[in-house]
Amino acid sequence: MTRVRRLVTSKVVIGALVLVLAAVGFGLYWFQPWKLWADQTVSEAVPPTAPSTAPADPSGDPSTAPSKPAAPAGPQTLATGTLISHEHSTTGTVQVVKLADGSRILRIENLDTSNGPDLKVWVTDAPVREGKAGWHVFDDGAYLSLGDLKGNKGDQNYALPGEFDPKKYTSVSIWCDRFDVSFGAATLKAV
């Protein structure tokens, strides 16, 4: 009888240990707690301006010079916003920038937020709300995912797709897709 009891007890203990280890492994994969202590800093510059397209006059003759100097082609800020905290403390600014070639980017500057699993950058049609009321609203309506957050600190650029309409997409969210929650968000205001 003791031998049977020992055999059953050891199988139960081993089974329980296997279940505990599987649960711990799944929890580590799902929550990725080490990211709370591992910052990733990105330092991207605004893409360079295009050179002026006005031809230079090598002869120096003022009569052949263009009547008006060419305006320097360069980035133009179309909208700005300031990030507010939601699920995690988040600070920084966002800008929609039109580049010299006509393409547009979303630029995030001085970002400081927590790292986390499956963080994305979204432009959305949801209003930005303070506090817990704003944590879960960004996936309720229309949104465009600009991709994975490159780093939880620093300056970074994200290409805006052709379907980005600044009249429709009026906010930006640092979105945790794993837990469907906003880490921080900003309202885009035209300049």
Side-chain angles (χ1 to χ4, degrees):
M1 190 73 163
T2 14
R3 188 179 273 184
V4 171
R5 182 181 239 168
R6 237 185 270 155
L7 185 61
V8 168
T9 305
S10 66
K11 284 184 180 180
V12 169
V13 168
I14 290 171
L17 284 174
V18 167
L19 285 175
V20 166
L21 287 174
V24 167
F26 177 77
L28 287 173
Y29 164 76
W30 191 253
F31 291 99
Q32 300 177 358
W34 58 87
K35 286 191 172 182
L36 291 174
W37 296 282
D39 290 330
Q40 187 170 1
T41 302
V42 175
S43 184
E44 291 182 335
V46 176
T49 60
S52 174
T53 57
D57 179 21
S59 69
D61 182 0
S63 64
T64 61
S67 60
K68 154 170 129 173
Q76 177 186 8
T77 302
L78 304 176
T80 62
T82 301
L83 290 163
I84 64 166
S85 299
H86 279 152
E87 172 71 22
H88 292 267
S89 176
T90 302
T91 59
T93 59
V94 296
Q95 301 172 13
V96 173
V97 178
K98 183 177 180 181
L99 301 177
D101 65 1
S103 65
R104 295 172 295 180
I105 62 168
L106 178 78
R107 178 152 175 84
I108 303 175
E109 292 184 335
N110 301 314
L111 176 65
D112 188 0
T113 191
S114 298
N115 207 342
D118 208 13
L119 293 180
K120 308 287 184 196
V121 177
W122 283 7
V123 288
T124 79
D125 66 350
V128 176
R129 298 183 186 137
E130 297 271 345
K132 270 191 139 176
W135 290 14
H136 302 282
V137 300
F138 297 100
D139 61 348
D140 294 344
Y143 64 87
L144 295 172
S145 178
L146 305 183
D148 294 337
L149 183 69
K150 296 175 184 177
N152 65 308
K153 296 189 180 298
D155 305 327
Q156 43 209 278
N157 304 315
Y158 297 88
L160 287 165
E163 65 265 25
F164 172 75
D165 177 358
K167 291 178 181 155
K168 178 178 181 179
Y169 298 103
T170 57
S171 62
V172 175
S173 174
I174 306 300
W175 184 256
C176 180
D177 218 14
R178 170 99 20 108
F179 296 104
D180 293 328
V181 68
S182 174
F183 274 32
T187 299
L188 291 171
K189 296 178 184 164
V191 277

